Structure formats: structure tokens, C-alpha cells
Amino acid sequence: MTKGKVAIMHNKQESSFAAQKKLTALLQEADYIIDQNDPDIVVSIGGDGTFLSAFHEFEHKLDHVRFLGVHTGHLGFYTDWRDFELEELVSNLSNDENPPISYPLLDVQVKYHQQDEPQHFLALNEATIKRAIRTMVADVYIKDEIFERFRGDGLSVSTPTGSTAYNKSVGGAVLHPRINAFQLAEIASLNNRVFRTLGSPIIISDSEWLTIYLEESSDYLITIDRFTIQHDGIESISFKIADERVHFASYRHMHFWRRVKDSFIGEV
Ligand code: NAP
């Protein structure tokens, strides 16, 4: 009897190719079927960046797909296994008694001036909005109430698991991924006697939503994790915690703050 269908996604590093070959053989030996199109489990081999790509490849199947990350370098935030632990990984997967783990995602809705229907995106790390040529001017609304007028390079809206990525580089707080909330962080805001924003990141609850209204212009860049979108006629972008979540298989519990310390601080 088969144990389930597994898709393996990997980056172009030689070590990832080797790990993919070895893992395929181990999974087949353990009665798993390799199915790149309709899997129950998606294994990503590479880094957190590779995991982001694997997530987006299967984001339309989140209701029944579980993800698992193998890192071919250091441990990552989505990658709990190292490439020299593949035997243990397969045995752990076969007897998966780990508590089910899932984390929040960001629902991003882009509304256009000339279009009734908004476009929907899901972000695992974050979405950013920036203006390429001139200062971005945007009205930030929380729950349909004006909060501030932002002027600066752009805004970043991140998930808890994305809080250690771009968000951290722009001064956002690191959020424990069990917190069901999202975060708005400013990218180089203009703050003086005339222009004023809060100037610090804010954490927004799962019962609230955020809308950013933009001045009409054609030079906005929206990023969703690894991808960049450049569209004309964007009127506003809204953010909330998505109904969908990302589910993990064989998630190895590592103290979150220890992972943060290992990644950013090292030995004390
Ligand atoms: P990249 O520019 O090639 O690499 C970005 C780095 O961010 C990699 O070292 C990656 O780890 C790490 N990373 C990804 N997700 C993370 C997370 N949740 N927590 C901590 N570190 C994380 O870009 P990429 O590989 O395509 O990944 C896209 C992500 O990179 C974006 O979502 C954004 O968050 C981040 N990014 C950050 C900056 C910045 O900090 N200034 C600039 C651009 C993009 P691995 O080495 O394990 O893949």
C-alpha cells in the first residue's frame, strides 16, 4: 500500500540535485509515490528561498498539501531538516507523530482604477509596495479609517514567519509565528515638521485589515515574496490574514527564539 504522493522541488545547487536523487530513492523504498503534479506532501530542497517557490507552485492546493523543507546549507526558518538527515526524515514522515503545525499567510488584494474585480495574491513572507522614480505618497487606512499619510520609499507588510526576512531589514519586529497577526513596516519614510507618519512598525490583529490607497502613477512595484509585479492603474492594496494557512509535515520543533539567535546572533 502506498503511503502518499510526494513532490520534490529543489534549487540548482549540486548538493540539492544529489539530495533530491537520494530522497527520491528513499521515499520509493518506503512506499511513497513521487508525483510532481498532485502531491499530498511537498518537499523543498535548497534554502528558505526555494521553499517560497515550492509554496507558490502549490498555493492553490493548500487545503490538502503539507510542506517540508530540507536545507542544503544552514538551517532556515522554513527548512527544519538538513541534507545529511534524509534517512531520519523519511522514517519520521512514515511515523509522523509530530503535532500538526500551520502558520498564517497574508491575503493581498490589488484593486485597479479601470477594473471591478481586484486581483488576489497570497504571501508567505511579505508583500511590499514601492514607487520606482518618485517619493511614494500613500494613505494608510486601518479597518476603513484613515491612519496616516505616508511619504517615503515604500511599505512592507509581512507575516509572522516573514518577519525575519525583508521586514527585519527595514526595522520591523520579529514576531513569533504562533501569533495570528501581520505587520506594517515603513521603508525610509519622510518625517519632518510637514510630513508625519508613526515612524515605527505596527502589528495588526487578525480581525483587522489594512488598505493602502496610492496616488495615480505607473511606476509602482509590488513584490509578493520572490515575485515582482508592475501594473498600471493601481488604486489600492488591501491586506488581511488569509483564510488559508501553510501546513507542515514532520515539523521539527526548534525553539523559535533559538532559531532566531542562531541565524542572527550566534554564540553569546
Ligand atoms: P534572495 O535575495 O536571493 O535571498 C534572501 C535571503 O533571505 C536568503 O538568505 C533567504 O534564505 C532569506 N530568507 C527568505 N525567507 C526568509 C525568512 N522567512 N526568514 C529569514 N530569512 C529568509 O531572495 P529569495 O531567496 O528569492 O527570497 C525572497 C525573500 O528574500 C523575500 O521574501 C524577502 O523577504 C527577502 N529579501 C530580503 C531583502 C533584505 O533583507 N534586504 C531583500 C530582498 C529580499 P536562504 O538563503 O535560506 O534561501
Side-chain angles (χ1 to χ4, degrees), residues 47-49 52 71 74 77-78 125-126 161-162 164-166 169 225-226 264:
D48 281 331
L52 288 173
H71 211 298
H74 51 90
F77 283 88
Y78 299 112
N125 265 354
E126 80 286 292
T161 51
T164 46
Y166 186 72
S169 300
D225 297 335
R226 293 191 116 173
F264 298 109

Side-chain angles (χ1 to χ4, degrees), residues 19-238:
Q20 178 259 344
K21 227 173 134 194
K22 184 169 176 187
L23 183 61
T24 301
L26 288 169
L27 285 167
Q28 286 171 334
E29 247 171 64
D31 293 326
Y32 286 95
I33 292 176
I34 303 298
D35 184 335
Q36 294 295 107
N37 298 314
D38 187 25
D40 313 306
I41 297 167
V42 173
V43 181
S44 125
I45 304 178
D48 281 331
T50 320
F51 190 97
L52 288 173
S53 295
F55 167 80
H56 284 288
E57 185 74 27
F58 292 98
E59 65 172 82
H60 54 294
K61 293 179 188 277
L62 291 179
D63 53 341
H64 68 272
V65 162
R66 290 179 302 147
F67 292 84
L68 193 160
V70 177
H71 211 298
T72 41
H74 51 90
L75 271 189
F77 283 88
Y78 299 112
T79 50
D80 304 306
W81 296 86
R82 295 287 313 279
D83 51 348
F84 50 78
E85 300 174 309
L86 298 179
E87 283 88 355
E88 196 187 332
L89 184 160
V90 174
S91 137
N92 192 295
L93 198 57
S94 300
N95 314 296
D96 193 355
E97 282 167 7
N98 304 313
I101 290 284
S102 70
Y103 288 142
L105 298 166
L106 193 63
D107 179 305
V108 184
Q109 262 194 54
V110 182
K111 204 167 173 318
Y112 299 88
H113 286 292
Q114 307 296 349
Q115 223 171 285
D116 287 341
E117 283 303 302
Q119 242 186 311
H120 272 269
F121 300 93
L122 272 184
L124 176 56
N125 265 354
E126 80 286 292
T128 68
I129 168 80
K130 296 173 192 160
R131 194 165 168 191
I133 300 163
R134 304 195 57 188
T135 301
M136 182 172 112
V137 181
D139 286 337
V140 177
Y141 282 70
I142 300 176
K143 276 180 92 174
D144 299 334
E145 195 173 302
I146 182 79
F147 181 70
E148 63 184 11
R149 171 161 289 181
F150 172 89
R151 288 178 180 81
D153 282 1
L155 291 162
S156 161
V157 184
S158 61
T159 65
T161 51
S163 70
T164 46
Y166 186 72
N167 168 71
K168 185 172 177 303
S169 300
V170 294
V174 172
L175 219 63
H176 195 292
R178 273 206 304 271
I179 298 171
N180 210 27
F182 62 106
Q183 178 169 183
L184 172 72
E186 300 178 349
I187 309 169
S189 59
L190 255 166
N191 259 306
N192 52 37
R193 286 160 63 116
V194 183
F195 303 135
R196 184 131 310 280
T197 59
L198 184 67
S200 72
I202 56 175
I203 316 282
I204 298 160
S205 86
D206 59 352
S207 61
E208 297 175 315
W209 61 95
L210 182 81
T211 309
I212 296 170
Y213 287 91
L214 300 167
E215 268 190 338
E216 203 157 347
S217 166
S218 59
D219 61 340
Y220 291 111
L221 282 182
I222 296 177
T223 66
I224 309 279
D225 297 335
R226 293 191 116 173
F227 312 104
T228 303
I229 304 155
Q230 189 177 7
H231 287 168
D232 281 355
I234 298 173
E235 181 188 314
S236 65
I237 314 173
S238 301

